[in-house]
Amino acid sequence: MIKSTDIIRCCASPHGIFWLTVAVLAIPNVALCFTERMGIMASVTNIVLPVAAVWLLMALGRRPGKTALLLFPLMFLAAFQIVLLYLFGHSIIAVDMFLNLVTTNVGEAMELLDNLLPAIVIVVVIYVPVIVLAVVSLRRGDVLSRSFLLRQRRRSLAALVAGAACMAGSYLAGRDYSARLHLYPLNVFYNIYLAADRYKATADYPQTSAGFSFNAVPTHAASGREVYVLVIGETARACSFGLYGYGRNTTPMLQRTGGLTVFSDAITQSNTTHKSVPMLLSAASAEDYGRIYREKGIITAFREAGFHTTFISNQRPNHSFIDIFGKEADDWKFIKEETERSDMYDEDMLRMVNDILDKKRAKELIVLHTYGSHFNYRERYRRSEAVFRPDNASEAKVSNRRQLLNAYDNSIRSTDRFLSLLIRQLDRSGAVSAMLYTSDHGENIFDDGRRLFLHASPIPSYYELHVPLLIWMSPSYRQMYAAEAAAVGSNSRKSVATSASVFHTMLSLAGISTPLRADSLSVASSSYKPGERHYLNDHNLPVAIKKILRGDEDFVMFRKMNLKY
């Protein structure tokens, strides 16, 4: 009988560390063969070629402990990959995932990691022992014999040749195979390169956008006050809003609000905050995302047209285009940066809105970036507002779905209250006013057999794509600008890509003219024309929605909600 001590002794030997390192680094390759849509030849390539490469690297040095530690970057990527497979169920580490590392604040990241205990335990159990054994081996001065190393070099080189042959077969199979897209970890290193390139492009924005102008001018008559509010929600999915037919009463106040138009078929073009929010704040879209590096945001267009502008965020700065476009405003605040409170709610922004309205400026734009329903859901509302209970569990596992959903639905009720109170403020101000609300993306909450959770997977689901789009107009606005009000009503049943339409819709509502305004994309225009909708993929390329959907479950939900795809 083999004893556990014998196994440990074997693993701790020089030969054991050699083979253990090769084995644990092969785990993501094997897992990806089951999670990705690859042909047989591609799957074989994805195992044989990378394993042979690691095998050869381990055979290049006599000290297995030292060589294993030098391969720590590969272990880190492997651990990262396993966590993401646990979370999303598929896909390699995306470009957006690397960018999320540098655009997510520490508190937000810790909230997530605190509730991914099973995945963390898995990677700790797999990789920490290898690192510990490698350190012990290095300190002991373990060495491998030259004869052993020569044999492994010959065998690994033979495996490399076999892997290369399999890769050639994958290309010849004609299944759009590409090593930089399908071969792990080469595809991950390619994504790191793309992430670094985009990060640099963002850093260079002050130079690449210098001198840009919308040449925006106002067209509304200069009589009376005008106030326009753009509210950008966070992680709110339409199917959890009572306004969209959800079985729970999550929007009791909005459902009693007059002057509110609900757009039934609105989808986002990205399920990642650092791309979706900047598209909402600019003329960039999935079809033409590159312009984001050359042009200013919507706040600048309003400023050029004579509006006083304010940007208020209940999220922390993250060194992305959200910060860049937000700081184009005359006044901007990230309210979490100005207080030691850890429980800042979206409603806390309403006091600031009230102060702005009290100034009674002639033309006002207010942009509010909420924290909405971002995980951890139960932290987004006061305990006294918890209607759906129990809602305390937050660990990311299927058995907690009921409590997670209760907490999420409570956060939607909090958004309902926030928007309703905001509308009341605008109504009481007496100004000609309009408010547009939409969310950056939706969320997965273990909704079907795929067991998907959260968002930002390289391949989005229906639950991440379908977002609420609401427009409220004051009675005075509807009277003075009847054409725009009528267009909003007539377009409310048409399909909309929010990331492509919000910029142009806000300009239409406010009567701002600029050569960059496209009325065919504005739902506040009779010229609005729905077209094929696209998703901005991980490599910033537009992909038709019907091609990006991964499972039958998505098509079922699109049909159930009467969405066009």
Side-chain angles (χ1 to χ4, degrees):
M1 175 182 250
I2 300 177
K3 298 180 181 179
S4 59
T5 52
D6 294 331
I7 296 174
I8 294 173
R9 191 178 300 110
C10 178
C11 291
S13 68
H15 289 181
I17 293 171
F18 181 100
W19 293 116
L20 187 61
T21 303
V22 174
V24 297
L25 289 177
I27 292 174
N29 297 85
V30 175
L32 288 166
C33 289
F34 291 96
T35 64
E36 308 309 296
R37 295 174 175 177
M38 293 190 289
I40 294 176
M41 191 64 73
S43 295
V44 173
T45 304
N46 197 49
I47 294 176
V48 175
L49 199 56
V51 169
V54 172
W55 187 0
L56 178 60
L57 289 173
M58 285 298 297
L60 294 179
R62 294 198 66 189
R63 294 186 174 185
K66 179 179 180 181
T67 310
L69 291 176
L70 289 174
L71 294 178
F72 174 79
L74 289 180
M75 293 187 196
F76 174 80
L77 291 180
F80 194 179
Q81 181 66 69
I82 290 172
V83 170
L84 292 181
L85 287 177
Y86 172 87
L87 188 60
F88 298 129
H90 57 81
S91 299
I92 63 161
I93 309 172
V95 178
D96 289 330
M97 286 298 163
F98 289 114
L99 289 174
N100 282 340
L101 292 177
V102 294
T103 60
T104 299
N105 64 72
V106 175
E108 190 176 298
M110 291 308 298
E111 265 190 358
L112 176 58
L113 292 176
D114 284 346
N115 295 284
L116 287 177
L117 185 59
I120 302 301
V121 169
I122 290 171
V123 298
V124 167
V125 168
I126 292 174
Y127 294 102
V128 170
V130 179
I131 295 171
V132 171
L133 289 174
V135 171
V136 171
S137 175
L138 185 61
R139 295 188 66 179
R140 281 197 314 239
D142 291 342
V143 294
L144 293 165
S145 67
R146 295 185 185 278
S147 59
F148 174 83
L149 292 175
L150 287 173
R151 284 197 307 273
Q152 304 315 317
R153 288 170 192 171
R154 288 196 298 268
R155 292 169 181 173
S156 60
L157 285 171
L160 274 175
V161 172
C166 291
M167 184 168 66
S170 299
Y171 277 104
L172 293 173
R175 294 174 58 92
D176 297 324
Y177 180 83
S178 170
R180 69 179 183 178
L181 300 180
H182 301 107
L183 182 63
Y184 177 92
L186 180 63
N187 45 17
V188 175
F189 287 121
Y190 178 62
N191 285 350
I192 292 174
Y193 161 75
L194 291 179
D197 186 61
R198 288 184 205 170
Y199 190 79
K200 182 180 184 301
T202 302
D204 291 342
Y205 175 78
Q207 291 75 45
T208 55
S209 65
F212 174 83
S213 174
F214 284 101
N215 296 311
V217 294
T219 61
H220 286 176
S223 58
R225 293 170 58 211
E226 290 184 83
V227 179
Y228 299 96
V229 181
L230 171 60
V231 183
I232 300 176
E234 173 66 63
T235 320
R237 60 188 200 177
C239 65
S240 292
F241 276 58
L243 287 168
Y244 285 82
Y246 187 42
R248 281 179 160 179
N249 191 18
T250 55
T251 53
M253 296 178 71
L254 286 174
Q255 285 172 240
R256 298 192 301 268
T257 300
L260 185 69
T261 301
V262 179
F263 285 77
S264 59
D265 187 0
I267 66 171
T268 182
Q269 292 190 315
S270 175
N271 63 354
T272 60
T273 299
H274 75 266
K275 289 200 296 194
S276 56
V277 173
M279 284 193 283
L280 294 171
L281 289 173
S282 71
S285 66
E287 294 84 352
D288 190 12
Y289 187 73
R291 66 195 298 178
I292 204 167
Y293 300 107
R294 306 185 303 270
E295 300 178 0
K296 301 288 187 181
I298 191 172
I299 289 173
T300 292
F302 271 79
R303 288 187 69 186
E304 289 182 13
F307 281 76
H308 179 271
T309 58
T310 305
F311 176 82
I312 306 173
S313 176
N314 191 24
Q315 301 197 26
R316 294 186 184 278
N318 61 6
H319 312 293
S320 74
F321 273 101
I322 301 172
D323 300 1
I324 292 171
F325 290 149
K327 291 179 180 180
E328 290 177 3
D330 295 296
D331 300 308
W332 51 267
K333 287 186 179 181
F334 293 85
I335 63 175
K336 283 188 169 71
E337 295 291 283
E338 300 181 2
T339 179
E340 295 182 358
R341 283 178 53 192
S342 59
D343 60 340
M344 295 294 289
Y345 301 104
D346 290 338
E347 274 189 47
D348 291 316
M349 294 190 286
L350 294 179
R351 290 182 289 102
M352 302 174 196
V353 172
N354 192 62
D355 292 341
I356 295 169
L357 296 176
D358 283 346
K359 297 187 185 310
K360 300 184 184 298
R361 297 186 182 96
K363 292 179 178 292
E364 192 83 59
L365 169 71
I366 304 171
V367 178
L368 304 175
H369 186 201
T370 71
Y371 213 11
S373 300
H374 198 285
F375 187 78
N376 184 356
Y377 315 131
R378 64 178 181 176
E379 302 296 332
R380 306 298 161 241
Y381 54 91
R382 297 177 178 85
R383 302 312 302 157
S384 60
E385 298 172 357
V387 174
F388 306 108
R389 295 176 181 269
D391 62 340
N392 291 321
S394 58
E395 190 176 333
K397 55 184 181 180
V398 177
S399 59
N400 286 339
R401 183 178 189 270
R402 181 189 173 196
Q403 292 203 48
L404 290 169
L405 192 62
N406 285 343
Y408 183 83
D409 289 347
N410 286 332
S411 74
I412 298 297
R413 282 185 66 103
S414 182
T415 294
D416 170 71
R417 175 179 169 83
F418 167 73
L419 292 175
S420 299
L421 293 177
L422 174 61
I423 289 171
R424 289 182 191 177
Q425 285 182 320
L426 294 173
D427 204 20
R428 287 197 301 264
S429 74
V432 173
S433 54
M435 180 210 74
L436 185 153
Y437 165 80
T438 192
S439 182
D440 54 357
H441 50 71
E443 184 84 321
N444 298 296
I445 314 176
F446 301 116
D447 300 287
D448 51 47
R450 294 172 295 182
R451 299 186 174 188
L452 303 177
F453 188 57
L454 301 182
H455 57 270
S457 164
I459 301 177
S461 71
Y462 153 81
Y463 299 96
E464 295 168 89
L465 292 172
H466 188 197
V467 292
L469 174 60
L470 314 175
I471 296 180
W472 174 85
M473 293 166 284
S474 67
S476 56
Y477 183 95
R478 291 177 176 273
Q479 181 179 2
M480 292 186 66
Y481 305 111
E484 285 78 3
V488 167
S490 63
N491 291 327
S492 64
R493 306 301 296 178
K494 297 177 182 177
S495 61
V496 183
T498 56
S499 314
S501 290
V502 164
F503 173 87
H504 306 281
T505 299
M506 287 298 296
L507 294 183
S508 294
L509 288 170
I512 296 175
S513 175
T514 164
L516 274 70
R517 177 176 134 186
D519 286 348
S520 62
L521 294 173
S522 168
V523 297
S525 170
S526 59
S527 300
Y528 176 69
K529 295 179 181 178
E532 183 172 36
R533 293 182 289 188
H534 294 83
Y535 176 80
L536 186 67
N537 75 4
D538 188 51
H539 290 175
N540 284 356
L541 299 174
V543 181
I545 290 296
K546 62 187 177 185
K547 293 183 179 180
I548 199 70
L549 298 180
R550 184 179 180 90
D552 292 338
E553 297 90 343
D554 294 323
F555 291 103
V556 168
M557 287 302 300
F558 264 75
R559 287 192 291 268
K560 178 181 177 181
M561 301 299 290
N562 295 315
L563 308 187
K564 298 179 179 66
Y565 58 84

